[in-house]
């Protein structure tokens, strides 16, 4: 299921649904983690082929010596280990959709084999004499610039034209930031179901940090960070420190962005100082309690602070020491 309400996502989803209504090959281009297979499934299940198989293939995992056997199947005795006849992936996708992920990783030999099939939908199983025909729609995906690969001689131009009948660019998460809170809530619920745990929600500050991060790994990275933050959070509300433990790079990058804002956007010195001090205090206290496993007296001794004063700081920042206890005394 694809989730999003941003204008960029809605435009993308509308394009997917238009392409589902025809039967030409589709090329999906997008960064790692943007959800290209989900997009391919959206096309398949929105099409007239929805009641037939959707067969995904990771082209990077196709061994060059067995690519034709994997795609077209083989007959008994075609090679040493061919004890029985086996259908190929194309036969398995008959009537449905064949999804070629990482299509740019196909070897030259594999590209020739695929091109022959795309030209007229005919193929011959390895070791067989009969010519078969399969009614299959092909959707290909890549995180590379496939046209650039063609210009560099790494990908066949004729195959590129066959696959590129319809083209869709999958938008990265940074271009649809308003979808991040929606996705973060969805992944938090999914984590609870997966772990059979309690329902949790995001604090406003934590959600703000998630929305500010660049997400180079896109939706897949967000999913992983949310899952780990759910595991680290001991309270019903997932806080900023839970993200920091789950994915330090997220909070570190946001810290750097905040400093840029302070330096270049004219924030008043006093306001910037207050924000920086509050941020330092909260992080310092969190690390201190983590080291002492929630023992406030030990934390006071370690920091050289009176216990009463430390208690006031903890209360000021809404930090509960029990969250850091690994066992009860």
């Amino acid at each position: 299921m694809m989730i999003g309400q941003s204008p960029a996502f809605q435009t993308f989803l509308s394009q997917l649904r238009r392409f589902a209504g025809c039967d030409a090959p589709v090329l999906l281009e997008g960064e790692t983690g943007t959800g290209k297979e989900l997009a391919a499934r959206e096309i398949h299940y929105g099409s007239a082929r929805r009641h037939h198989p959707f067969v995904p293939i990771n082209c990077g995992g196709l061994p060059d010596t067995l690519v034709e056997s994997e795609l077209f199947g083989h007959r008994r005795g075609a090679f040493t280990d061919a004890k029985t006849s086996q259908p190929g992936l194309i036969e398995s996708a008959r009537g449905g959709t064949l999804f070629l992920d990482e299509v740019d990783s196909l070897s030259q030999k594999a590209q020739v084999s695929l091109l022959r099939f795309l030209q007229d939908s005919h193929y011959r199983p390895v070791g067989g004499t009969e010519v078969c025909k399969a009614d299959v729609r092909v959707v290909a995906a890549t995180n590379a610039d496939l046209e650039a690969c063609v210009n560099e001689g790494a990908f066949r131009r004729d195959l590129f034209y066959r696959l590129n009948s319809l083209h869709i660019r999958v938008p990265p998460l940074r271009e649809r930031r308003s979808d991040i809170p929606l996705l973060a809530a969805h992944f938090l619920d999914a984590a609870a179901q997966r772990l059979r745990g309690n329902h949790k929600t995001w604090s406003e500050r934590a959600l703000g940090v998630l929305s500010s991060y660049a997400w180079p790994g896109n939706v897949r990275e967000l999913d992983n960070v949310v899952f780990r933050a759910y595991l680290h959070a001991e309270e019903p509300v997932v806080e900023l420190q839970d993200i920091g433990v789950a994915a330090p790079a997220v909070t570190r990058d946001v810290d750097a962005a905040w400093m840029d804002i302070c330096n270049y956007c004219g924030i008043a010195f006093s306001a910037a100082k207050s924000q920086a001090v509050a941020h330092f205090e909260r992080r310092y206290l969190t690390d201190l309690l983590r080291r002492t496993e929630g023992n406030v007296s030990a934390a006071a001794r370690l920091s050289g602070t009176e216990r009463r004063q430390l208690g006031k700081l903890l209360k000021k920042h809404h930090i509960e020491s029990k969250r850091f206890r690994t066992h009860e005394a």
Side-chain angles (χ1 to χ4, degrees), residues 31-32 174 213-218 221 253:
E31 297 174 10
T32 297
R174 64 182 175 275
Y213 183 56
W215 298 109
N218 294 291
E221 183 187 8
D253 281 11

Side-chain angles (χ1 to χ4, degrees), residues 1 17 31 36 121 127 187 247 280-281 310 314 320:
M1 178 176 64
R17 289 170 177 168
E31 297 174 10
K36 294 184 288 295
S121 301
F187 290 143
F280 167 78
E281 287 180 349
L310 186 64
L314 292 173
E320 297 182 7

Side-chain angles (χ1 to χ4, degrees), residues 66-82:
L66 296 176
V67 64
E68 291 191 340
S69 175
E70 291 285 330
L71 288 174
F72 309 132
H74 62 262
R75 296 295 178 247
R76 180 181 178 184
F79 45 87
T80 304
D81 294 328

Side-chain angles (χ1 to χ4, degrees), residues 241-320:
Q241 65 264 24
D242 300 314
I243 300 173
V245 175
V250 175
T251 50
R252 185 168 60 246
D253 281 11
V254 173
D255 286 346
W258 172 249
M259 291 305 297
D260 286 343
I261 291 171
C262 292
N263 290 333
Y264 301 115
C265 294
I267 291 180
F269 174 79
S270 58
K273 180 181 177 182
S274 297
Q275 288 278 1
V277 169
H279 186 68
F280 167 78
E281 287 180 349
R282 185 173 183 84
R283 177 164 288 187
Y284 179 81
L285 293 169
T286 300
D287 290 342
L288 195 61
L289 287 176
R290 188 172 291 115
R291 290 172 63 187
T292 61
E293 298 184 350
N295 187 319
V296 178
S297 296
R301 287 194 299 272
L302 187 62
S303 63
T305 308
E306 290 185 5
R307 192 185 190 287
R308 185 178 177 185
Q309 181 62 27
L310 186 64
K312 287 182 178 180
L313 282 172
L314 292 173
K315 187 175 181 180
K316 171 187 172 182
H317 292 287
H318 307 288
I319 299 173
E320 297 182 7

Side-chain angles (χ1 to χ4, degrees), residues 53-246:
F54 175 90
V55 178
I57 305 172
N58 185 336
C59 296
L62 280 177
D64 196 40
T65 54
L66 296 176
V67 64
E68 291 191 340
S69 175
E70 291 285 330
L71 288 174
F72 309 132
H74 62 262
R75 296 295 178 247
R76 180 181 178 184
F79 45 87
T80 304
D81 294 328
K83 308 297 184 185
T84 60
S85 296
Q86 293 290 337
L89 294 168
I90 286 175
E91 180 62 30
S92 299
R94 181 178 291 274
T97 301
L98 187 69
F99 174 56
L100 304 173
D101 197 12
E102 298 184 21
V103 70
D104 57 293
S105 65
L106 285 173
S107 67
Q108 290 292 328
K109 177 183 178 182
Q111 291 178 39
V112 171
S113 299
L114 180 61
L115 178 62
R116 283 200 302 263
F117 170 71
L118 290 175
Q119 286 171 342
D120 58 11
S121 301
H122 287 86
Y123 67 95
R124 181 182 287 110
V126 176
T129 57
E130 78 281 19
V131 175
C132 305
K133 183 174 183 178
D135 174 23
V136 170
R137 184 183 193 179
V138 172
V139 177
T142 177
N143 59 16
D145 182 340
L146 206 55
E147 189 166 10
C149 293
V150 169
N151 294 333
E152 293 165 3
F155 201 84
R156 292 182 62 100
R157 188 174 297 276
D158 44 5
L159 178 57
F160 170 70
Y161 290 145
R162 287 281 178 183
L163 295 173
N164 199 38
S165 295
L166 300 173
H167 176 270
I168 302 179
R169 176 182 174 271
V170 186
L173 193 52
R174 64 182 175 275
E175 293 181 7
R176 38 180 298 220
R177 286 188 185 276
S178 59
D179 290 332
I180 291 175
L182 192 64
L183 288 164
H186 169 75
F187 290 143
L188 205 59
D189 289 341
Q193 292 177 14
R194 179 177 170 185
L195 297 169
R196 298 181 181 178
N198 296 325
H199 173 73
K200 295 180 182 180
T201 58
W202 293 102
S203 73
E204 187 174 337
R205 191 175 181 202
L207 207 54
V209 166
L210 292 177
S211 298
S212 301
Y213 183 56
W215 298 109
N218 294 291
V219 179
R220 185 183 300 138
E221 183 187 8
L222 175 61
D223 188 6
N224 291 337
V225 167
V226 170
F227 181 76
R228 292 196 297 270
Y230 180 95
L231 282 173
H232 285 289
E234 297 178 7
E235 301 294 330
V237 177
V238 184
E239 299 284 357
L240 181 59
Q241 65 264 24
D242 300 314
I243 300 173
V245 175

